Amino acid sequence: MKKIIMMITWISLCCIGCEELVEVEAPANQLGTLQVYEDVQTARAALDGLYASLRDQSVLAGGNSYGMGTLLDTYTDNLDCFYNDTNGTMDIYENQPMDTNNTIETVWNTAYEQIYYANSLVVGLTNSQAIDTDTKAQLIGETIVLRSLIYYYLAELFGAIPYTTSIDYQYNRQLDKMEEEVLYQQLITDVMEVMDGMAVSYRDTERTYVNRSVASLVLAKVYSTLGDYAATEQWASEVLGNELYSFETNLEEVFHKAGTHILWQMPPQLAGNATPEATFYFFEDAAPHAYALTENLVNSFSDADLRKQQWMVPVTVGGTTWYRVAKYQNIADNTNEYSVVFRMGEVYLLLAEALVQQGQTTAALPYINAIRTRAGLLPLSNGSTEELLDAILQESRHEFFTEGGHRFLELKRMGWLNTLLEVKPNWEDYNERWPLPLNELLLNAHLYPQNTGY
């Protein structure tokens, strides 16, 4: 118990002390100097702290003002924003972000705090003499996969960014930027170096920790971003080859935590609590106070699409109708829903896109049609490369709205971001990247130049 108390104390101090990676005060307590790694229990508690941080506020968090499921869906064309605060949320929605935007700065700072935390975990685990080799490899592997996901989102948002594995605050405060393609290759190297030490199975029965298959999906996502579709196919296919997974054919079960289609999910902070997504997007008997689905998104669904019937709810007040997100149903007494981060639907559509891009359109159809038929739609029988890519983009939009920023990531990857001009009048070419936070530029001159347009 004493060790656990020390662990909790360190986590609190670390989160306070690492306010900015590029300009960070030396924490009073370092992970490697405490007795955190004297046994597996406290080492796992340290890693649990990172998982909890990612759940509560991160680029991966769902139902959160700073998560990409929200911010990137308002930045594109899936969510309307009614949350006119002083943090710049409305500016993001209106595609007019500035380098002084508080929300963007918070996204940056929180991500680098979590990167520092992850780096501290890797150093401590690597230096541990008390933890067995297999356990050490698994915990380091999980940490690197989580860190790689954070870096991936930062690069997609900002372009060239600092990359570091160091916990030396003097070194980190003067980091140069790493170009996107170089960074993505580095992430591939990082994940490949650790994934052989990661188990194909899970550390728990509820899939709340990442495993080798999540690492494979991360590789597939990065390779797809690089346009290496053969490698995307390879790593997506590795996930499909894991007998732990199957495609969920019942739409009502997609967001239930027991599904074998789930690769990774996050439990609520307390047992029985609603998922953040269930409460964050909820409104009824009143106009939305934060977010509602756009008319453009709602009207893009066929009336026969079961996702339109089951994953959104119309709310009419004073003759005006809005649609709220309703993927998660339990507002109270939640016993069967966790926040799903990765599921097989994403693997199917990634693989379908990779196959189409390689000219294997016939091979791609079963993966597209699995998504369509589950939603009550007729299967596709054929199509040109362009038609099938458009179908994949449409299915992804309908499948993953408010999840992980899929809409932005996929429009960017396919080179179609400028199609947003039809519904987002302020959209400019340079909006494919966010501005680097001004305060970070002032602290570290190596971050210049500012991104184009800002």
Side-chain angles (χ1 to χ4, degrees):
M1 178 62 71
K2 181 178 179 181
K3 290 179 181 177
I4 295 174
I5 292 171
M6 290 176 68
M7 179 67 248
I8 294 170
T9 301
W10 176 82
I11 290 172
S12 300
L13 288 169
C14 181
C15 291
I16 293 169
C18 305
E19 292 180 356
E20 296 172 5
L21 179 67
V22 294
E23 179 68 21
V24 61
E25 295 297 326
N29 293 274
Q30 290 286 355
L31 187 56
T33 62
L34 294 178
Q35 297 174 340
V36 173
Y37 300 103
E38 286 188 350
D39 58 45
V40 173
Q41 182 182 18
T42 52
R44 286 177 173 164
L47 180 51
D48 285 348
L50 179 58
Y51 278 104
S53 176
L54 293 174
R55 175 201 63 210
D56 294 340
Q57 183 174 308
S58 73
V59 291
L60 299 171
N64 184 292
S65 295
Y66 301 99
M68 293 305 103
T70 301
L71 289 178
L72 290 181
D73 270 23
T74 66
Y75 198 57
T76 54
D77 54 357
N78 282 349
L79 283 177
D80 282 327
C81 177
F82 302 89
Y83 192 56
N84 198 1
D85 61 1
T86 60
N87 292 323
T89 305
M90 187 61 69
D91 292 334
I92 293 173
Y93 168 61
E94 294 177 344
N95 305 126
Q96 295 180 318
M98 300 175 64
D99 58 9
T100 55
N101 187 290
N102 289 336
T103 294
I104 290 176
E105 184 173 10
T106 298
V107 169
W108 175 284
N109 288 340
T110 301
Y112 275 110
E113 288 169 11
Q114 290 160 344
I115 288 168
Y116 187 98
Y117 194 151
N119 291 346
S120 298
L121 287 168
V122 172
V123 171
L125 287 162
T126 300
N127 293 332
S128 172
Q129 301 298 313
I131 300 174
D132 66 89
T133 301
D134 290 345
T135 300
K136 183 186 294 190
Q138 176 67 33
L139 299 183
I140 290 175
E142 290 181 34
T143 304
I144 295 297
V145 169
L146 297 177
R147 187 185 71 188
S148 297
L149 279 167
I150 299 169
Y151 272 130
Y152 174 74
Y153 272 98
L154 285 175
E156 286 292 279
L157 291 171
F158 296 102
I161 57 168
Y163 170 89
T164 183
T165 62
S166 175
I167 59 173
D168 183 334
Y169 78 101
Q170 292 287 2
Y171 170 78
N172 286 335
R173 68 191 297 182
Q174 295 298 322
L175 288 170
D176 291 319
K177 292 188 291 188
M178 182 179 285
E179 293 300 322
E180 288 166 89
E181 184 168 340
V182 178
L183 175 65
Y184 293 141
Q185 293 292 350
Q186 182 63 57
L187 299 184
I188 289 168
T189 298
D190 290 347
V191 173
M192 284 188 171
E193 283 181 350
V194 299
M195 67 185 307
D196 284 345
M198 300 181 70
V200 174
S201 58
Y202 286 89
R203 285 206 283 129
D204 69 335
T205 59
E206 296 189 312
R207 306 186 179 195
T208 60
Y209 299 103
V210 300
N211 67 348
R212 180 188 168 95
S213 290
V214 174
S216 296
L217 177 55
V218 171
L219 289 175
K221 288 168 73 73
V222 176
Y223 274 120
S224 183
T225 301
L226 288 170
D228 187 338
Y229 300 112
T232 304
E233 178 188 356
Q234 173 191 343
W235 291 107
S237 297
E238 178 164 304
V239 179
L240 294 185
N242 187 337
E243 295 180 353
L244 290 175
Y245 306 116
S246 61
F247 184 79
E248 177 57 66
T249 58
N250 183 352
L251 197 70
E252 294 180 356
E253 296 295 325
V254 170
F255 295 99
H256 288 170
K257 67 179 185 180
T260 56
H261 64 292
I262 294 170
L263 275 72
W264 178 34
Q265 59 189 345
M266 298 182 182
Q269 184 175 9
L270 298 175
N273 280 6
T275 64
E277 296 88 343
T279 54
F280 184 74
Y281 294 113
F282 187 83
F283 64 96
E284 65 178 355
D285 301 327
H289 62 279
Y291 299 98
L293 296 171
T294 64
E295 182 179 357
N296 180 271
L297 172 62
V298 174
N299 290 342
S300 70
F301 282 87
S302 161
D303 288 338
D305 196 316
L306 296 177
R307 293 168 296 195
K308 184 175 183 179
Q309 300 172 28
Q310 297 184 22
W311 290 357
M312 58 182 72
V313 173
V315 177
T316 302
V317 178
T320 301
T321 298
W322 298 272
Y323 284 79
R324 77 162 187 258
V325 185
K327 288 183 170 181
Y328 295 88
Q329 305 287 325
N330 300 329
I331 300 299
D333 301 322
N334 176 27
T335 60
N336 66 348
E337 292 178 348
Y338 285 175
S339 297
V340 178
V341 183
F342 294 132
R343 51 191 174 93
M344 287 297 284
E346 178 172 1
V347 182
Y348 271 38
L349 291 180
L350 262 180
L351 180 55
E353 181 184 340
L355 291 169
V356 170
Q357 293 282 16
Q358 295 177 89
Q360 301 177 52
T361 53
T362 301
L365 284 171
Y367 300 107
I368 303 171
N369 287 333
I371 301 290
R372 289 179 57 84
T373 56
R374 181 177 66 186
L377 303 176
L378 294 175
L380 302 176
S381 58
N382 54 53
S384 66
T385 295
E386 185 174 350
E387 288 170 338
L388 290 182
L389 288 177
D390 186 65
I392 290 167
L393 188 63
Q394 184 82 320
E395 290 308 316
S396 182
R397 187 185 190 192
H398 292 167
E399 187 74 12
F400 294 108
F401 61 90
T402 69
E403 296 182 57
H406 275 260
R407 180 68 169 160
F408 174 83
L409 298 178
E410 284 146 19
L411 284 171
K412 183 178 179 181
R413 184 170 69 237
M414 294 185 182
W416 294 351
L417 272 174
N418 282 344
T419 60
L420 292 171
L421 272 170
E422 298 173 10
V423 290
K424 304 285 280 190
N426 294 327
W427 184 266
E428 300 285 352
D429 289 348
Y430 61 77
N431 286 136
E432 70 173 1
R433 294 189 179 94
W434 282 359
L436 299 169
L438 177 60
N439 285 334
E440 297 301 313
L441 292 169
L442 295 175
L443 290 168
N444 181 6
H446 294 271
L447 297 180
Y448 280 101
Q450 174 62 279
N451 286 335
T452 301
Y454 302 105

